[in-house]
Amino acid sequence: MSRLEAKKPSICRSEPLTGERTRASLAALRGLVTSCYGPAGRLKQLHNGRGGSVVTTSQSAALLAGLPVSTPVLKVLTAAVRNHVACFSDGGLFTAILCCNLVENVQRLGLTPTTVIKLNKHLLSLCTSYLKSEVCACRIPVDFSSTQILLSLVRSILTSKPACMLIAKEVDHISTLILRAFLLTIPESAQEHIILGKSIIVPLKGQRVIDSAVLPGILIEVSEVQLMKILPIKKSDSFKVALFGVSLSGDLSDTGEGTLLVSYGVSLENAALDQLFNLGKQLVSDRVDLVLCQKVIHPSLKQFLRTHHVIAVDRIGVSLMEPLSKVTGAWPIGSLGSISPSSYGSIKDLCIAKFGCKHFFHLIPNKTTICSLLLCNRNDTAWDELKTRNEPESVLQDEGCSQTELQLITDAFCSALESLAGSLEHDGGEILTDSKYGHFWSVQADLPSAVNWPDLLSRCGCGLYSSQEELSWSFLRSARHPFPPQTCLSREATGSASTLTLDCFTAKLSGLQVAVETASLILDLSCVIEDTN
């Protein structure tokens, strides 16, 4: 006779905040983050009891990443703080402390959660209204004609991180460099709406802090052996650049999944190498001076390019691809076929730089808002504390995905948004967007190739702007350069429109958030539990 056992019920705990374990954990977290807060905050050492490195820090990002959190309440709290820090790179300790205080204070009141949430929301609105008002005394206007306030801001951030181990002279030096790097990202012809460039942090550990520097352009680290094979570099007024995002190793790993049909007697290796040599011949024919590859270049192709005085640098990495595209003006090449001349870019000069024991190619741009901040510090811990943000490569590592997966997901998300905008057209026509306002314009389908858009277009979809303005258009799903849409509405623009088609911004924003979160929830479902008792 088989043994029958009663079904064990699922564990469900109500009112988790009333548990002593949760209260004690919340108090411990509050005490930890409170002791680290402010310019005089204390350092903490984190060490895993099972072994590993010791981390000395007072930053919320490092603290919360190294703390083992088991209670559900603390998991929610720390996740919210870490998300805030990921977005703003600052204010993590402030957020954690305030959140702990609010939770603990509410517990002592004995009020219903509904009442507390309603009142807290009202108080938050009062605080926000005051902070955004002109009478707020907490704000100091920034005058870009003077560096005093900006330098004070940077110094305040650096001095609040004692684990950086910086003396006053070093704080002043790093503050000046950070401010200079920021100013270099501002375009010279800055107008009302601008797109900032990028400052790339180049780590150099084990060196004097005072050796840190800011250089215009991009530094690409190379080994001394690789450098010797490339030298000398010929002098030129400019260097023509080809930027590859695809592997040039000749491997078949980038062909994707599936079955390859190979004719009898055909060598895949030789065929791939022949394709690489054909590519190299086109690069030489097009008088390319510098070939940059995100991945690996086959040694034979390197040798071929070297004999024709073409500099080839591989293993650039994903983090430098976007800055390199901006610096050189080159479009990343994603195939081994024929290269369009418009894909090439150029730089003003190329030289060799050495800092400490590291060697770099220094790409000097013609005109750009990209610079390299060479950041030095004494050891790994002090340097990690000094770095102010996560680099793109660490994002891929943290999320556990490859660059290809990230790109595919990004494309799918953008495609979903474009399809949403395309749903506005119901008569079989085409949708255009202008490069000034980013507004929706509709035209009939099957138009001739040579067409004067202002003659066919009247007003944008919302009715705010006329086609008679100096605008340029492109099809919705076509490739285009990124641009910042102009959002400032003039009185002339609003006054000239007789009828406007508008939507509620708050409702649209909330709809976007709910759509993405619901989609993520559905995608995350692994099973459905059904009670058959």
Side-chain angles (χ1 to χ4, degrees):
M1 182 177 179
S2 60
R3 177 180 297 178
L4 299 177
E5 294 183 359
K7 183 180 178 180
K8 296 181 180 179
S10 300
I11 299 175
C12 182
R13 295 187 178 94
S14 60
E15 299 182 0
L17 284 176
T18 60
E20 186 60 32
R21 179 167 169 260
T22 300
R23 288 173 178 252
S25 299
L26 190 63
L29 177 63
R30 175 180 49 79
L32 176 66
V33 293
T34 300
S35 65
C36 298
Y37 184 60
R42 299 296 186 259
L43 293 173
K44 294 292 178 291
Q45 286 192 329
L46 303 177
H47 181 251
N48 191 321
R50 291 173 291 182
S53 61
V54 177
V55 177
T56 303
T57 185
S58 62
Q59 293 191 74
S60 60
L63 284 171
L64 299 181
L67 285 178
V69 178
S70 58
T71 58
V73 172
L74 261 63
K75 285 184 178 180
V76 173
L77 194 155
T78 55
V81 174
R82 294 180 69 180
N83 184 65
H84 167 82
V85 174
C87 294
F88 297 95
S89 301
D90 196 16
L93 294 175
F94 169 85
T95 305
I97 295 169
L98 180 59
C99 184
C100 289
N101 288 341
L102 287 172
V103 172
E104 291 183 320
N105 291 347
V106 165
Q107 288 181 291
R108 305 187 187 104
L109 298 178
L111 298 177
T112 62
T114 304
T115 304
V116 173
I117 292 172
K118 185 186 300 183
L119 293 178
N120 277 346
K121 184 178 181 180
H122 175 68
L123 294 173
L124 176 62
S125 66
L126 294 178
C127 294
T128 303
S129 298
Y130 170 73
L131 291 172
K132 291 182 177 181
S133 68
E134 295 297 328
V135 298
C136 175
C138 301
R139 298 184 301 173
I140 300 178
V142 176
D143 182 7
F144 279 88
S145 64
S146 172
T147 61
Q148 179 181 0
I149 295 177
L150 292 173
L151 278 175
S152 298
L153 173 62
V154 180
R155 285 195 192 100
S156 300
I157 296 174
L158 291 177
T159 54
S160 69
K161 306 181 186 303
C164 293
M165 297 187 296
L166 301 178
I167 62 175
K169 180 181 179 181
E170 294 169 342
V171 169
D172 290 341
H173 180 65
I174 295 295
S175 299
T176 303
L177 293 180
I178 292 175
L179 179 55
R180 184 186 172 198
F182 167 71
L183 294 177
L184 285 174
T185 64
I186 302 177
E188 293 182 3
S189 58
Q191 300 177 357
E192 185 176 356
H193 299 278
I194 63 174
I195 297 179
L196 294 178
K198 188 173 185 179
S199 177
I200 303 170
I201 297 179
V202 180
L204 196 59
K205 304 173 185 179
Q207 299 293 319
R208 300 185 309 163
V209 177
I210 209 70
D211 292 334
S212 301
V214 172
L215 302 172
I218 293 181
L219 291 174
I220 300 177
E221 184 177 354
V222 292
S223 65
E224 189 172 1
V225 175
Q226 186 179 7
L227 193 61
M228 291 300 103
K229 292 181 179 179
I230 294 175
L231 292 177
I233 298 176
K234 67 177 183 178
K235 293 296 181 181
S236 176
D237 294 336
S238 65
F239 290 79
K240 194 172 185 179
V241 180
L243 181 62
F244 286 88
V246 66
S247 173
L248 301 180
S249 65
D251 293 337
L252 300 178
S253 59
D254 288 338
T255 58
E257 298 181 356
T259 303
L260 289 176
L261 298 179
V262 182
S263 301
Y264 178 77
V266 174
S267 170
L268 289 178
E269 292 77 9
N270 291 338
L273 198 56
D274 290 341
Q275 189 178 24
L276 290 178
F277 277 122
N278 290 333
L279 180 67
K281 292 176 183 178
Q282 182 182 355
L283 293 172
V284 173
S285 175
D286 291 343
R287 299 183 180 275
V288 172
D289 301 297
L290 176 62
V291 175
L292 302 173
C293 182
Q294 174 187 337
K295 300 180 180 179
V296 179
I297 301 178
H298 195 283
S300 299
L301 178 57
K302 276 187 179 181
Q303 180 62 33
F304 174 83
L305 294 174
R306 191 181 304 126
T307 58
H308 290 82
H309 310 289
V310 178
I311 301 173
V313 183
D314 60 356
R315 295 181 172 89
I316 298 297
V318 63
S319 62
L320 286 181
M321 290 299 290
E322 180 186 0
L324 281 171
S325 180
K326 291 183 178 180
V327 163
T328 63
W331 287 94
I333 302 169
S335 68
L336 303 182
S338 179
I339 303 174
S340 170
S342 62
S343 298
Y344 297 129
S346 66
I347 55 175
K348 181 179 180 181
D349 198 3
L350 175 65
C351 59
I352 304 301
K354 182 180 180 182
F355 298 97
C357 60
K358 293 186 177 182
H359 297 81
F360 299 90
F361 277 128
H362 184 194
L363 278 62
I364 302 176
N366 296 304
K367 184 179 180 182
T368 187
T369 55
I370 305 294
C371 67
S372 296
L373 173 57
L374 191 73
L375 201 56
C376 306
N377 214 333
R378 300 169 181 83
N379 53 54
D380 289 1
T381 300
W383 190 90
D384 290 336
E385 196 77 2
L386 181 60
K387 182 169 66 73
T388 57
R389 65 174 182 266
N390 288 329
E391 297 303 309
E393 286 182 332
S394 70
V395 175
L396 297 178
Q397 295 169 0
D398 292 344
E399 298 299 332
C401 66
S402 66
Q403 170 64 18
T404 303
E405 291 170 334
L406 178 62
Q407 186 64 52
L408 288 174
I409 294 173
T410 303
D411 291 343
F413 190 91
C414 294
S415 176
L417 293 177
E418 288 187 334
S419 298
L420 178 63
S423 301
L424 294 171
E425 174 57 52
H426 299 283
D427 298 322
E430 297 285 350
I431 293 179
L432 306 175
T433 57
D434 65 84
S435 59
K436 183 176 181 180
Y437 304 107
H439 276 221
F440 165 100
W441 304 75
S442 179
V443 293
Q444 65 186 35
D446 302 324
L447 294 173
S449 57
V451 62
N452 186 24
W453 291 120
D455 295 340
L456 297 176
L457 302 172
S458 176
R459 303 193 75 86
C460 65
C462 71
L464 188 60
Y465 296 109
S466 168
S467 63
Q468 301 307 311
E469 298 186 34
E470 295 181 0
L471 301 176
S472 60
W473 291 268
S474 61
F475 287 102
L476 178 63
R477 293 179 176 86
S478 63
R480 65 178 71 86
H481 290 283
F483 67 96
Q486 182 173 320
T487 57
C488 182
L489 303 180
S490 63
R491 292 184 178 180
E492 292 78 7
T494 55
S496 62
S498 58
T499 304
L500 294 178
T501 303
L502 304 176
D503 246 331
C504 176
F505 172 78
T506 304
K508 277 290 189 290
L509 180 60
S510 178
L512 174 63
Q513 294 170 335
V514 172
V516 175
E517 291 169 0
T518 304
S520 299
L521 178 62
I522 294 173
L523 293 172
D524 195 44
L525 286 176
S526 58
C527 63
V528 176
I529 301 175
E530 181 180 1
D531 188 5
T532 58
N533 291 333

